[in-house]
């Protein structure tokens, strides 16, 4: 199993999010897993220019100038992804928002279809609910299946974090072993249906992507998800 973690904190390995990720993966379940965790302080991700080349052509001209090409590759190759950001002004960090902006076109193509996702945040006071809600929505829009969330604040004990990690571990195991019981969100169903209707007659990169990946053959996100999971098994 390949595991990929993105920590959106400039504190890097000293961040709470990184420590949580290390704790989560420091179990017997992941002893043979290929685990890679990257942190914001060591990455070069340029700001989105709003040129819309990614939506029109599926290519970001900045990918050859920073680390996004490798980040995208790691995301696409992973079986399990952990996405984590500290709370900044009741939102994700600037790095995480920039990273998401650069992936925005994947929300029209569901590039992360079927990837198991864990979202995480930390805060010294408030705002965790906004960050968790945002990360869950974005990762769902990219096609991921959000299986759990981890929140660390001044009121959260180590025991509670460990309990939550163990609970999510069980959910991940069940999901990987029996994908027929995977739950998808109403948001994903609605987004898929809306995009299908708008792209089926619209020529261009997004239409071609849907066509080449047999997406127009499925009327619901759940049906397409099951098709892709069986195909990738």
């Amino acid at each position: 199993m390949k595991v990929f973690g993105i920590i959106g904190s400039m504190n890097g390995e000293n961040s709470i999010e990184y420590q949580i990720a290390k704790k989560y993966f420091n179990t017997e379940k992941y002893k043979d897993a290929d685990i890679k965790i990257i942190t914001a302080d060591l990455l070069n991700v340029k700001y989105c220019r709003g040129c819309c080349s990614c939506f029109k052509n599926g290519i970001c001209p900045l990918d050859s100038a920073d680390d996004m090409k490798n980040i995208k590759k790691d995301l696409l190759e992973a079986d399990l992804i952990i996405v984590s950001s500290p709370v900044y002004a009741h939102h994700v960090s600037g790095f995480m928002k920039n990273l998401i902006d650069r992936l925005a076109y994947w929300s029209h193509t569901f590039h992360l279809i079927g990837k198991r996702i864990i979202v995480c945040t930390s805060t010294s006071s408030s705002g965790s609910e906004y960050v968790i809600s945002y990360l869950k929505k974005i990762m769902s829009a990219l096609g991921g299946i959000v299986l759990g969330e981890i929140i660390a604040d001044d009121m959260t004990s180590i025991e509670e974090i460990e309990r939550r990690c163990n609970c999510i571990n069980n959910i991940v195991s069940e999901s990987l072993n029996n994908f027929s019981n995977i739950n998808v969100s109403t948001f994903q169903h609605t987004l898929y249906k809306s995009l299908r209707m708008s792209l089926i007659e619209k020529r261009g990169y997004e239409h071609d992507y849907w066509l080449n990946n047999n997406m127009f053959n499925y009327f619901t996100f759940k049906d397409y998800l099951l098709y892709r999971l069986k195909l990738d098994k």
Side-chain angles (χ1 to χ4, degrees), residues 45-134:
V45 177
K46 296 184 181 298
Y47 291 114
C48 172
R49 295 175 178 172
C51 67
C52 293
S53 173
C54 56
F55 288 102
K56 296 174 183 176
N57 308 307
I59 299 171
C60 175
L62 297 177
D63 282 0
S64 60
D66 63 10
D67 293 324
M68 278 303 296
K69 182 177 181 180
N70 290 331
I71 293 173
K72 289 176 179 178
K73 181 176 182 290
D74 287 330
L75 286 168
L76 293 174
E77 291 180 351
D79 302 298
L80 175 65
I81 300 168
I82 184 166
V83 181
S84 184
S85 171
V87 176
Y88 284 4
H90 281 202
H91 212 295
V92 295
S93 66
F95 169 86
M96 183 58 69
K97 181 60 173 68
N98 190 39
L99 180 77
I100 289 170
D101 288 346
R102 294 283 298 279
L103 295 173
Y105 72 108
W106 282 8
S107 65
H108 288 188
T109 53
F110 301 99
H111 263 59
L112 297 187
I113 185 77
K115 304 292 184 185
R116 278 56 167 194
I117 311 289
I118 301 168
V119 296
C120 176
T121 190
S122 70
T123 178
S124 60
S125 56
S126 62
S128 60
E129 68 271 28
Y130 302 112
V131 170
I132 288 295
S133 176
Y134 178 71

Side-chain angles (χ1 to χ4, degrees), residues 110 135-144 146 185 187-188 221:
F110 301 99
L135 289 177
K136 288 171 70 174
K137 181 177 182 179
I138 293 300
M139 299 314 293
S140 295
L142 300 182
V146 181
S185 67
F187 169 68
Q188 287 174 313
F221 179 79

